[in-house]
Amino acid sequence: MDLLEYQAKELFREMGIPVLPSQRIDHPSDLKGLRIPYPIALKSQVRTGGRGKAGGVKFVATTIDAVAAAQTIFNLPIMGEYPQVLLAESKYNADREFYLAVVLDRNARRPVLLGSVEGGIEAEASFHRIQQVVVDRQFSPFYARRLAVKMGLQGALIQSVSAVVEKMYHLFVDKDLDLVEINPLGISASGEVMALDGKISANDEALGRHPEIATLARMIAKQVKHEDVPALPFNQNFVQLDGNVAIICNGAGLTMATLDLVCFAGGDPACFLNIWPTYCESNNCVIYSDSSPELLRENVEQSLELVGNDKKVKVILVNIIGSPIACEAAVTAVESYVKRREVSLRGKTPLHIVMRLIGAGDEDLKQRLATLKLHFLEDLEQATKKAVDLARL
Amino acid sequence: MYSKSDLKVIIQGIGQPLGQTHAALMKAYGTNVVAGISPGMGGQTIEEIPIFDMVEQALPEVGPVDASVIFVPPYLVLDAAKEAIAAGIRQIIITSAGVPPLDMVTLVRKAEATDTLVIGPSSPGVIVPGKVLLGTYPAEFYTPGPVGLISRSGTLSYEIARELTEAGIGQSICVGIGGDSIVGSSFQQWLQILEEDDKTEVIVLVGEIGGAGEEAAARYIDEAIDKPVIVYVAGIHAPKGRRLGHAGAIITAGLVGDVGAEVGTPESKIAAFKDVKVPVAERPSQIPELVKKVLKKSGHKKK
């Protein structure tokens, strides 16, 4: 979960990373009680990048100008997202701008420190010039100094920049983050450092042990209402596309393989949904289909309900492979959905269901499926072909 | 180690519903489950498996243990794994999903220092068909044979094992390294294990979009693997820049995720394998044909 800039800066401030005096603006009228002196920057608080270029950052010197600018920014969507709050921040005269980040390197399975003396909006263009230091053992401040030196820094800047990197690393570890980024880190003419913009991505799987971050994340979730993401507990596993074949499957890898097969058969996926989620916010919910057939059944039913209500969907392809327990749960869910749908949608556009099920163990489940108005196939490629053919009718 | 017929295994978290279910299934498969660990349940038994409060209490009773299969909730995984390592166990299989990545960083550092093999998290484990089951694999899709199967994804690997079995090709060792963003063992480590395994004649590597593990595996195959390798990569039609299910399947451009070159896209993965002349199957059903082809070439003896 990406935090907003003002939330990231709160965390920077707590950690002792220098940030400018700033104030959260929930409404343009809040500017009348502004506690920081002009001139200020007003910044749209959205999660997308490219704010400056889109007009989401404005510099103002008076209250009248500030209120007008705030009204404009509140009404300016950036990549479809409207800000719920703005950040008013003191203006800073940076002499130079650096790029700093801490991320996880999945291959090395270690955190890595990143830094470049070409920061700001140019950072991405000079991406290949970013220096890296892998924290391969227990962290010690020398890793941060190693980065500063690799960046080509000299004199007092080595200590002041590495001190910021060290604090970023501690924040990263203490709060289980996926990313801490400062871009730009402003360097004043006198060599003073200042985090002018910041980005923090919290790790979703660790939110359960960081209630304070989970609270921040929930504030954003409330703010950002994407139309294509349903309010399901497992919505991370749902991806909306433009076609007419909906894919419901267990396991991310198998979901992607099924998606590929539908495309190979000439079909056009409407969406795909992995009903084997691993995301949860609380420590106690180990979501795993075999351990909780009840949960799997609910997930399949909710998923069918969700994709079945999408008017462009002509065929739902359900692909389940697993233990007899998991298969039983999936069949029960499909059974109840098919029966319900027959009653509620009689006479409307037909919706075909193709069910592919493997691992049921005995004939009983197959017989239950045979009595339903759906297409049951055991071979995956035949099932995808069937689904694509039905979508063409 | 998988050739050992009396491989001794413990189950940490045997008191959890999932641990209990799979303890029974592993035992039924013939796995030598010598103890279960569940704090507070010491002295009881589950499926005739004696339960201990701590790993260190079990070992004096049952002798040295080869592997631990962990079923504890995700935030307790790091502690459970450390407990097993402290007791001298050098192979750990984590079935739990949703272990925070930084816990895995800590565990990987610990594992490297102690020469411990960590499989998972979010892994179905390891199966040596007909012999030993360590984890949650549905055994019915597997038969003994010459194919070593390495995968990041659980259900997709069941699908492929089943395709192989239906085509009359069995498997030597199958491992799910886990789908999370940080996992304990790499494709390279398993390629090396399968290269050294006498029963394995062909290796099938199942990749998916996201991460750079496949690209690294391609380089490693070129440098260090003599046995034929067949690859399949899932997700070539997946939309870019979207999160797909588990954390391992994130495609991220730019700075988050993987540092450096253009990696993680299906194109970059497939190109990496083709560059080193590893055949890439377009769909799961092609894998058996490709395997048969290389077995024929290598003069595979029917047993």
Side-chain angles (χ1 to χ4, degrees):
Chain A
M1 170 63 83
D2 295 340
L3 300 187
L4 295 169
E5 179 196 1
Y6 82 91
Q7 298 174 326
K9 283 185 170 165
E10 278 301 312
L11 294 172
F12 288 171
R13 192 173 285 124
E14 281 172 26
M15 190 50 75
I17 295 171
V19 287
L20 292 166
S22 65
Q23 195 174 325
R24 187 178 126 177
I25 306 295
D26 291 275
H27 189 271
S29 63
D30 290 354
L31 286 158
K32 286 170 187 148
L34 196 66
R35 293 183 297 274
I36 50 176
Y38 285 97
I40 58 162
L42 275 173
K43 299 164 136 186
S44 180
Q45 298 295 288
V46 288
R47 290 181 302 171
T48 47
R51 264 183 330 181
K53 286 176 191 161
V57 179
K58 291 193 185 302
F59 294 97
V60 287
T62 66
T63 308
I64 295 171
D65 288 350
V67 172
Q71 276 163 349
T72 308
I73 298 174
F74 271 119
N75 289 306
L76 175 77
I78 297 174
M79 289 179 78
E81 189 180 332
Y82 286 91
Q84 296 297 301
V85 296
L86 310 186
L87 186 67
E89 194 174 66
S90 295
K91 206 164 173 285
Y92 190 76
N93 288 319
D95 198 37
R96 304 171 69 189
E97 294 191 334
F98 294 173
Y99 174 89
L100 295 176
V102 184
V103 290
L104 272 180
D105 181 334
R106 286 165 49 161
N107 249 15
R109 288 170 283 175
R110 296 290 193 275
V112 50
L113 313 177
L114 302 177
S116 168
V117 291
E118 294 167 70
I121 51 174
E122 304 308 322
E124 248 165 82
S126 58
F127 180 57
H128 58 281
R129 286 200 286 274
I130 292 178
Q131 300 297 322
Q132 301 180 24
V133 170
V134 176
V135 183
D136 56 353
R137 288 168 191 261
Q138 193 73 40
F139 181 81
S140 192
F142 79 82
Y143 283 107
R145 287 200 301 280
R146 185 183 281 170
L147 180 74
V149 169
K150 278 181 97 172
M151 285 165 69
L153 303 183
Q154 290 174 338
L157 272 181
I158 293 177
Q159 293 289 28
S160 56
V161 171
S162 67
V164 172
V165 174
E166 188 185 336
K167 285 168 184 159
M168 288 167 77
Y169 184 84
H170 288 306
L171 187 61
F172 183 80
V173 172
D174 290 356
K175 307 280 186 191
D176 275 300
L177 304 175
D178 283 342
L179 167 75
V180 182
E181 184 184 85
I182 295 178
N183 186 35
L185 179 80
I187 312 293
S188 74
S190 61
E192 185 192 32
V193 298
M194 187 64 70
L196 298 181
D197 195 358
K199 189 172 170 189
I200 283 179
S201 297
N203 185 264
D204 294 331
E205 285 170 340
L207 283 181
R209 61 186 183 191
H210 299 286
E212 73 293 355
I213 305 270
T215 306
L216 297 179
R218 265 195 296 275
M219 287 166 67
I220 304 168
K222 241 188 250 168
Q223 152 172 351
V224 182
K225 286 198 182 78
H226 286 293
E227 276 183 10
D228 63 343
V229 180
L232 291 176
F234 49 94
N235 61 16
Q236 276 199 339
N237 293 277
F238 176 76
V239 175
Q240 182 85 52
L241 300 164
D242 300 322
N244 55 12
V245 179
I247 298 162
I248 296 175
C249 192
N250 63 335
L254 187 61
T255 306
M256 284 184 273
T258 309
L259 173 83
D260 287 346
L261 288 174
V262 167
C263 293
F264 283 139
D268 209 354
C271 59
F272 57 98
L273 209 158
N274 169 20
I275 47 113
W276 199 322
T278 56
Y279 171 75
C280 61
E281 261 192 42
S282 132
N283 184 15
N284 296 321
C285 69
V286 193
I287 302 180
Y288 193 90
S289 64
D290 280 7
S291 68
S292 174
E294 200 49 33
L295 190 69
L296 179 74
R297 190 188 54 68
E298 265 172 43
N299 279 357
V300 177
E301 268 204 75
Q302 284 184 46
S303 306
L304 286 164
E305 206 54 64
L306 171 78
V307 303
N309 286 337
D310 183 343
K311 290 192 178 59
K312 67 179 190 293
V313 172
K314 289 174 82 176
V315 180
I316 304 176
L317 171 62
V318 184
N319 179 19
I320 305 288
I321 185 165
S323 66
I325 305 164
C327 288
E328 218 280 322
V331 169
T332 306
V334 170
E335 225 167 27
S336 97
Y337 178 75
V338 171
K339 285 179 181 160
R340 223 163 349 111
R341 180 147 184 122
E342 267 174 21
V343 177
S344 68
L345 280 180
R346 200 176 302 149
K348 291 200 180 166
T349 347
L351 175 72
H352 303 284
I353 296 176
V354 177
M355 178 117 190
R356 191 275 180 144
L357 186 84
I358 286 294
D362 55 42
E363 288 302 307
D364 181 46
L365 284 178
K366 294 177 195 167
Q367 269 163 21
R368 274 166 64 187
L369 285 173
T371 64
L372 297 173
K373 276 191 184 161
L374 53 74
H375 306 268
F376 168 61
L377 294 117
E378 285 197 320
D379 182 85
L380 177 55
E381 280 189 48
Q382 281 173 12
T384 52
K385 281 198 190 96
K386 184 80 196 171
V388 171
D389 288 345
L390 288 167
R392 288 207 183 104
L393 290 179
Chain B
M1 122 171 198
Y2 300 108
S3 51
K4 246 169 106 173
S5 56
D6 56 344
L7 201 73
K8 277 191 197 166
V9 179
I10 62 163
I11 296 175
Q12 285 177 271
I14 197 168
Q16 300 281 329
L18 195 60
Q20 195 159 344
T21 306
H22 288 285
L25 292 171
M26 278 188 253
K27 219 179 155 196
Y29 200 72
T31 306
N32 186 20
V33 182
V34 294
I37 313 297
S38 187
M41 288 178 70
Q44 302 179 31
T45 57
I46 283 178
E47 302 291 330
E48 293 169 19
I49 301 163
I51 304 179
F52 298 86
D53 294 313
M54 292 197 71
V55 178
E56 65 198 37
Q57 291 173 322
L59 297 198
E61 301 290 324
V62 301
V65 163
D66 299 290
S68 174
V69 186
I70 294 181
F71 286 95
V72 304
Y75 296 174
L76 306 181
V77 163
L78 174 60
D79 178 53
K82 280 180 170 171
E83 187 185 340
I85 292 173
I89 298 173
R90 291 294 170 258
Q91 179 160 173
I92 290 165
I93 292 153
I94 304 166
T95 66
S96 325
V99 178
L102 286 167
D103 282 9
M104 285 309 298
V105 169
T106 306
L107 180 55
V108 165
R109 285 197 184 116
K110 187 100 202 156
E112 285 173 1
T114 52
D115 211 8
T116 304
L117 181 62
V118 175
I119 301 158
S122 192
S123 164
V126 178
I127 183 169
V128 181
K131 211 163 176 183
V132 64
L133 168 60
L134 305 169
T136 61
Y137 277 107
E140 59 176 300
F141 305 133
Y142 296 82
T143 46
V147 176
L149 180 60
I150 318 170
S151 161
R152 269 161 76 183
S153 161
T155 50
L156 179 57
S157 72
Y158 310 163
E159 180 80 41
I160 287 161
R162 180 177 170 273
E163 291 270 5
L164 289 165
T165 295
E166 298 250 299
I169 308 166
Q171 307 86 37
S172 51
I173 298 175
C174 302
V175 61
I177 65 170
D180 285 2
S181 59
I182 305 284
V183 292
S185 62
S186 62
F187 280 138
Q188 288 100 302
Q189 273 172 291
W190 283 96
L191 284 163
Q192 194 195 344
I193 291 168
L194 295 178
E195 175 82 4
E196 286 164 12
D197 176 60
D198 292 340
K199 297 263 163 44
T200 304
E201 293 173 43
V202 188
I203 301 167
V204 172
L205 189 149
V206 181
E208 57 189 63
I209 51 170
E214 288 80 359
E215 286 87 342
R219 286 192 296 275
Y220 186 76
I221 291 168
D222 193 36
E223 287 161 12
I225 302 298
D226 292 327
K227 289 182 183 176
V229 182
I230 308 287
V231 165
Y232 168 69
V233 178
I236 64 170
H237 286 283
K240 290 183 183 175
R242 299 290 291 268
R243 211 173 252 258
L244 315 169
H246 56 58
I250 303 171
I251 311 176
T252 35
L255 298 171
V256 188
D258 302 290
V259 180
E262 264 294 313
V263 291
T265 66
E267 293 83 10
S268 67
K269 290 178 193 303
I270 291 170
F273 288 113
K274 289 197 167 159
D275 278 353
V276 296
K277 305 203 163 38
V278 171
V280 180
E282 199 181 44
R283 50 184 78 210
S285 63
Q286 272 178 358
I287 296 170
E289 321 165 15
L290 291 171
V291 169
K292 275 183 184 162
K293 218 185 265 177
V294 293
L295 281 177
K296 220 173 172 183
K297 225 190 250 172
S298 68
H300 168 58
K301 313 165 281 294
K302 279 241 152 91
K303 273 152 212 155

